[in-house]
């Protein structure tokens, strides 16, 4: 099988011109896109677009910022859990889930955020699915919680936390996905520098903006080039390695 590029973390439901975004991605060899869920609303939409576009693969979960975006999330929990269970054969991962103590400043929301994360990790264990994790500002807590769950594989998305936990994640064999922020972020560069290429993945986190430009799956072609330069690995060889990594952690994409 020829290697292809795969954007393993994209909020594809948020684009107004998804047709165009997919077309651009394919023009640079990005053939598959994992669309990650965030909320009760977005998971319905993600299932819809994955039915429409063969390039889109759904990952479902509740984002840690949902506790402050959605006052009703506690009441919606059961329905979200049901939707995830009902679609277990369609989804390739549980995500985007995790803890956030950086954007979520309201400490009174932390217990609920933690409870939701625990439920999502239990679902991943029950359904034998990998997880796609957001850890911003709560790296220690997330890393402390993970060993209690038996989860096939862990993907840490856009890691930018302390080096101590980067090292711990590397020791535990977690996969780190790299965004276009590699062009300016010292923390992302550090992650690339320290992580063996056997544990790297590519992601756009689109439509998040990078230096004012809307992030798209097509941009991961340049992320690959940047990693290749940074680690001094020929682009073809790296593309092949990252393709193998992606197959290993997300077998349901194939
Ligand atoms: Zn994201």
């Amino acid at each position: 099988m020829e290697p292809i590029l795969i954007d393993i973390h994209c909020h594809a439901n948020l684009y107004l011109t998804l047709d165009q975004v997919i077309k651009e991605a394919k023009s640079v060899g990005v053939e598959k896109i994992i669309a990650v869920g965030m909320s009760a609303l977005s998971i319905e939409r993600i299932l819809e677009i994955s039915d429409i576009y063969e390039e889109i693969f759904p990952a479902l979960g509740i984002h840690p910022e949902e506790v402050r975006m959605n006052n009703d999330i506690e009441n919606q929990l059961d329905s979200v859990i049901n939707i995830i269970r009902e679609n277990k054969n369609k989804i390739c991962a549980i995500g985007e889930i995790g803890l956030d103590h950086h954007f979520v400043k309201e400490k009174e929301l932390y217990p609920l955020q933690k409870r939701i994360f625990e439920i999502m990790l239990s679902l991943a264990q029950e359904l034998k699915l990998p997880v796609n994790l957001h850890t911003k500002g709560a790296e220690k807590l997330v890393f402390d919680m993970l060993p209690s769950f038996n989860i096939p594989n862990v993907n840490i998305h856009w890691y930018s936390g302390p080096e101590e936990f980067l090292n711990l994640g590397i020791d535990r064999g977690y996969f780190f996905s790299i965004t276009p922020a590699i062009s300016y972020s010292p923390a992302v560069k550090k992650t690339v520098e320290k992580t063996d290429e056997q544990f790297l993945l590519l992601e756009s986190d689109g439509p998040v903006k990078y230096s004012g430009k809307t992030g798209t799956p097509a941009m991961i072609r340049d992320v690959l080039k940047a990693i290749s330069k940074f680690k001094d690995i020929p682009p073809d060889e790296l593309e092949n390695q990252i393709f193998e990594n992606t197959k290993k952690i997300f077998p349901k994409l194939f």
Side-chain angles (χ1 to χ4, degrees):
M1 192 175 183
E2 278 288 295
I4 50 168
L5 292 187
I6 300 163
D7 180 353
I8 63 95
H9 183 115
C10 180
H11 300 276
N13 58 304
L14 299 179
Y15 292 109
L16 297 174
T17 54
L18 186 54
D19 271 323
Q20 192 56 32
V21 166
I22 292 175
K23 222 165 143 191
E24 270 173 36
K26 295 186 80 156
S27 75
V28 296
V30 180
E31 301 286 343
K32 294 177 197 263
I33 298 164
I34 298 182
V36 293
M38 301 180 84
S39 60
L41 254 181
S42 72
I43 66 173
E44 302 268 15
R45 179 64 186 147
I46 280 167
L47 287 167
E48 270 173 37
I49 59 176
S50 69
D51 282 338
I52 300 171
Y53 299 97
E54 59 175 10
E55 296 85 358
I56 303 270
F57 293 78
L60 302 183
I62 299 176
H63 192 282
E65 282 182 79
E66 192 61 8
V67 290
R68 97 183 146 85
M69 315 280 263
N70 177 0
N71 288 331
D72 208 30
I73 188 62
E74 218 171 343
N75 296 322
Q76 295 169 357
L77 264 179
D78 284 341
S79 122
V80 171
I81 295 165
N82 285 337
I83 295 174
I84 293 176
R85 282 208 180 102
E86 281 162 15
N87 289 283
K88 64 177 182 193
N89 294 325
K90 268 192 184 176
I91 61 182
C92 62
I94 300 293
E96 175 175 357
I97 61 171
L99 297 177
D100 183 299
H101 289 183
H102 175 83
F103 297 113
V104 181
K105 303 274 183 222
E106 304 84 352
K107 289 201 168 60
E108 64 277 15
L109 295 175
Y110 292 173
L112 176 61
Q113 191 183 67
K114 186 172 180 220
R115 189 160 76 83
I116 293 174
F117 184 39
E118 279 168 342
I119 292 172
M120 293 294 126
L121 290 172
S122 309
L123 265 177
Q125 175 174 298
E126 172 194 324
L127 305 177
K128 299 183 173 60
L129 287 168
V131 289
N132 175 266
L133 301 184
H134 175 117
T135 59
K136 203 152 173 72
E139 293 83 4
K140 180 177 172 17
L141 288 168
V142 172
F143 279 70
D144 281 350
M145 286 168 72
L146 288 171
S148 315
F149 296 85
N150 185 9
I151 290 167
N153 266 306
V154 172
N155 164 219
I156 309 283
H157 131 81
W158 197 339
Y159 187 79
S160 62
E163 201 172 334
E164 182 190 351
F165 299 108
L166 172 62
N167 293 337
L168 182 59
I170 291 168
D171 285 348
R172 289 184 185 171
Y174 295 166
F175 289 81
F176 289 84
S177 47
I178 307 304
T179 66
I182 188 174
S183 66
Y184 58 80
S185 161
V188 173
K189 286 180 183 161
K190 174 69 79 184
T191 304
V192 170
E193 184 191 313
K194 298 208 82 172
T195 308
D196 187 278
E197 63 268 23
Q198 293 189 21
F199 293 92
L200 289 175
L201 303 165
L202 302 172
E203 63 154 302
S204 69
D205 201 20
V208 160
K209 287 196 158 102
Y210 298 95
S211 310
K213 217 179 153 209
T214 298
T216 61
M219 286 181 180
I220 67 168
R221 173 59 69 190
D222 288 333
V223 178
L224 178 83
K225 279 184 201 153
I227 300 174
S228 152
K229 270 200 190 133
F230 216 79
K231 291 186 91 66
D232 199 20
I233 302 169
D236 286 359
E237 193 183 319
L238 186 66
E239 182 169 348
N240 204 36
Q241 180 62 56
I242 291 181
F243 180 57
E244 291 305 319
N245 304 345
T246 310
K247 282 200 284 189
K248 201 173 187 180
I249 178 167
F250 301 115
K252 285 172 79 179
L253 292 179
F254 301 91

